[in-house]
Amino acid sequence: AAAAAAAAPARDEGGVGGRHSRAVPLPRKTEGEADREAREALSEEDKEANREEFERLMRERFLAGLDHEHVDYSKVDGDETLDDLAVVDQDAQDAWFDED
C-alpha cells in the first residue's frame, strides 16, 4: 500500500485546481445579445458613419453589378409593368422628333 501511495502523483488539496476550486462556466451571450451590446456601445455619430459607409458600399456593389446573386435583373428588365411611363413617352416623343 505504501508503494502505491508513493507511485501516485501528489494531489493539490487547495488553491487553483484543487478540491476547493470549482470551474463555473460563464454564461455565453447569444449572437443577438452581443450584436445589441455592440450597437448600444456606438455613439450616434458612429452609427450614422457606419450607415453611410454601408450605403456607399451597397451602391458601389450595385453599380458594379456585384449583386447579381441576389437579384435576377433579366426579370426586372423584361417586365414592362415596371417601366416609368413618363420616361417611355418622352423617349418615344424624342425619337419621333429626331426622325425629322
Side-chain angles (χ1 to χ4, degrees), residues 30-78:
T30 66
E31 198 169 307
E33 289 173 326
D35 288 344
R36 181 177 35 78
E37 286 180 4
R39 280 193 308 274
E40 289 172 355
L42 291 175
S43 70
E44 288 302 315
E45 185 177 294
D46 288 340
K47 288 178 187 178
E48 180 65 18
N50 286 347
R51 186 187 60 75
E52 289 173 3
E53 176 69 5
F54 173 76
E55 288 177 0
R56 183 188 64 76
L57 290 171
M58 294 308 293
R59 255 189 310 282
E60 287 177 8
R61 286 183 56 81
F62 169 76
L63 294 173
L66 298 176
D67 59 348
H68 61 85
E69 66 229 19
H70 304 290
V71 178
D72 182 0
Y73 285 107
S74 65
K75 290 180 182 178
V76 175
D77 292 341

Side-chain angles (χ1 to χ4, degrees), residues 5-19:
R11 289 187 184 172
D12 182 8
E13 295 295 326
V16 177
R19 69 179 171 165

